[in-house]
Amino acid sequence: MSDTRQASTEPEAQLWEQLDGHTAGMLGVSGSGQHMQPMVHMAAPDEKALYFFTSKSSDLVKTLKPGAIAHYTYVAKDHDYHACMKGNLTISNDPEKKDEYWSPIVGAWFEGGKTDPDLALLRLDLEDAAIWASTDSSLKFGWEMAKANLASDTQPDVGVSNHIWFRERPT
C-alpha cells in the first residue's frame, strides 16, 4: 500500500521500501531499439544502485556500451505505486556482490552456479527516478471522481507524483 504523504515528503525512502518489498520490474537500454524485459532486481540503497543477474548472451548485455543509460520500471502489486528509474548500466565484476545476491532461484538459471561462464551481474547506478503514488482508499477515490464530475474546474486528487535525484542534479 502506498502512502501519498510519504511520496511527497520522503520519496526516496518510499522508493527503497517499495523496491525491497517486491522484486520484479522491466529493464531496458535506452536507444538500443529493443523492448524492455522483465528482470528481478536486488536493491542496494546505500549505493543508490540496483543489481540484476542475467546471461552474458542476453540482448541486454549485447547492447551494453560504455555510458549505456537504462530505464527500470516498477509497478507495485496493488497498482497504487509506480516508478521509473534511470541510470548508467554496467557489468559488475564484484565477486562480493555476486555472493551477496546469489540465491537458489538465480542458481536454477545457471548450470555452473556462480562460476558459470555465461553469468553476468549488471549494476544500475541510479541518476534519477519519477514516482507516482495513489490512494488505496476506494472511498476517497469515489469521492474525488464524484467531485470532479460535478465541478468542471475540479481535477480528482487521488495521488502524488515526485522526482528523485540520486546524484548531482544537472544544471
Side-chain angles (χ1 to χ4, degrees):
M1 169 171 39
S2 73
D3 177 346
T4 55
R5 186 175 310 125
Q6 187 181 24
S8 293
T9 60
E10 299 176 274
E12 184 177 341
Q14 183 182 46
L15 174 65
W16 292 116
E17 288 170 17
Q18 288 285 333
L19 291 173
D20 191 43
H22 305 281
T23 58
M26 300 289 285
L27 179 66
V29 177
S30 299
S32 70
Q34 296 177 356
H35 292 286
M36 297 180 83
Q37 49 192 279
M39 296 292 287
V40 172
H41 66 264
M42 283 72 64
D46 294 343
E47 300 172 53
K48 312 284 190 217
L50 299 173
Y51 288 88
F52 308 87
F53 283 106
T54 192
S55 167
K56 288 180 182 174
S57 58
S58 71
D59 292 340
L60 275 172
V61 172
K62 287 178 183 177
T63 63
L64 282 183
K65 294 176 177 50
I69 300 297
H71 282 87
Y72 184 63
T73 59
Y74 167 82
V75 178
K77 76 174 185 161
D78 292 332
H79 300 277
D80 60 350
Y81 188 88
H82 299 76
C84 180
M85 295 147 273
K86 179 178 71 176
N88 189 292
L89 185 65
T90 57
I91 295 176
S92 172
N93 294 313
D94 186 340
E96 290 177 12
K97 287 295 174 190
K98 202 180 277 186
D99 287 342
E100 180 181 348
Y101 294 125
W102 189 260
S103 73
I105 294 170
V106 175
W109 294 98
F110 296 96
E111 230 176 80
K114 289 183 223 175
T115 60
D116 191 304
D118 198 35
L119 177 66
L121 180 62
L122 301 179
R123 178 185 167 122
L124 179 60
D125 287 298
L126 297 177
E127 292 175 12
D128 70 310
I131 63 161
W132 297 265
S134 57
T135 181
D136 65 335
S137 167
S138 55
L139 183 61
K140 178 176 177 162
F141 183 84
W143 173 251
E144 290 295 329
M145 291 302 133
K147 283 190 331 186
N149 280 300
L150 291 171
S152 62
D153 63 339
T154 301
Q155 294 255 331
D157 178 16
V158 293
V160 171
S161 65
N162 212 334
H163 199 122
I164 303 164
W165 294 96
F166 298 99
R167 313 272 178 229
E168 195 171 309
R169 188 176 183 167
T171 54

